[in-house]
Amino acid sequence: MDMNRSGVVIRRGRPAGPRTIGLVCAVAAAGALLSGCGSSGSDTASPQKSAAPSRAVPATAASLNADQAQRKALVPQAKVDYGQALKAAIAAVPSSEAIAAELKGTPSSPYWDTVVATTDGTAYAVRVDAVSGKAQKPQPQSDDPDDKQELAARLGKATVTAQQAAQTATEKTKGTVTTIELGDADHGNDTVAWTVGVVTTDDWNETTYEIDATNRKVLWMHVDQD
């Protein structure tokens, strides 16, 4: 990795995976994974420059790779955005907070895999229809005391909401939020961070941001063009 003058880490190669103590993995058993990484990444020099991805040569159907084609087929079919999906999930679990959402499924049946949690660290997976916005019955996640304690501590540290993190990311890269997740920052200290994936609809690339969950600072970013 490199660091630019503004202190933002620029990722080389594949972005890091989820760090939300396995909660999102527990609900990712079905559907196509929208936020897959390509075999090689192309990074921008800084998050400020990533705010305006190149639009000189729009992607054509013939030039799209498998990941881009999958995004192009799925993203427009989601009539419910991440914010509406999280709102539905929170309504299904009283006194909960949003910690993750991912757009999945097929073009004919898109849905959001969401995870919400109460302040004691009890997490629930809630599947939300990406067309109707209807939430299915919440599914309790890990009962492990250590997992719950870790998640409760993370929630206590986070002062930035999912919506604020997504706004920070989309101010830098105009597009559609397709993944968002609260976890530990990638650089290994005690910082809590949001990971936000934004798909641009002119080229169907995905830009991933890690955003400090205490001050909205961009810690690193990665553009998946493959």
Side-chain angles (χ1 to χ4, degrees), residues 25-110:
C25 293
V27 298
L33 181 64
L34 182 63
S35 60
C37 298
S39 59
S40 63
S42 175
D43 303 298
T44 60
S46 71
Q48 289 75 18
K49 292 186 179 181
S50 70
S54 176
R55 300 177 185 273
V57 184
T60 64
S63 68
L64 296 178
N65 62 36
D67 287 342
Q68 292 168 330
Q70 184 181 35
R71 296 172 193 134
K72 183 178 181 180
L74 181 60
V75 172
Q77 304 310 314
K79 309 308 178 185
V80 172
D81 65 20
Y82 85 95
Q84 293 169 311
L86 288 177
K87 184 176 180 179
I90 290 171
V93 181
S95 302
S96 65
E97 300 178 49
I99 58 174
E102 181 177 9
L103 181 61
K104 300 172 71 174
T106 64
S108 61
S109 185

Side-chain angles (χ1 to χ4, degrees), residues 134-216:
K134 182 178 179 180
Q136 294 186 0
K137 182 179 179 180
Q139 300 297 318
Q141 299 300 284
S142 175
D143 286 330
D144 183 270
D146 292 336
D147 286 350
K148 293 176 67 174
Q149 183 177 7
E150 182 179 353
L151 180 54
R154 185 177 293 133
L155 289 171
K157 293 177 183 178
T159 57
V160 175
T161 66
Q163 290 78 5
Q164 289 171 329
Q167 181 182 16
T168 297
T170 54
E171 284 174 352
K172 307 244 178 234
T173 299
K174 304 301 181 183
T176 301
V177 173
T178 54
T179 61
I180 187 164
E181 178 187 356
L182 182 65
D184 294 329
D186 186 57
H187 51 280
N189 62 19
D190 292 332
T191 302
V192 179
W194 288 98
T195 301
V196 185
V198 182
V199 171
T200 45
T201 56
D202 59 343
D203 52 20
W204 303 105
N205 290 331
E206 181 181 56
T207 302
T208 302
Y209 289 94
E210 185 176 74
I211 298 168
D212 192 307
T214 64
N215 58 21
R216 298 177 72 170

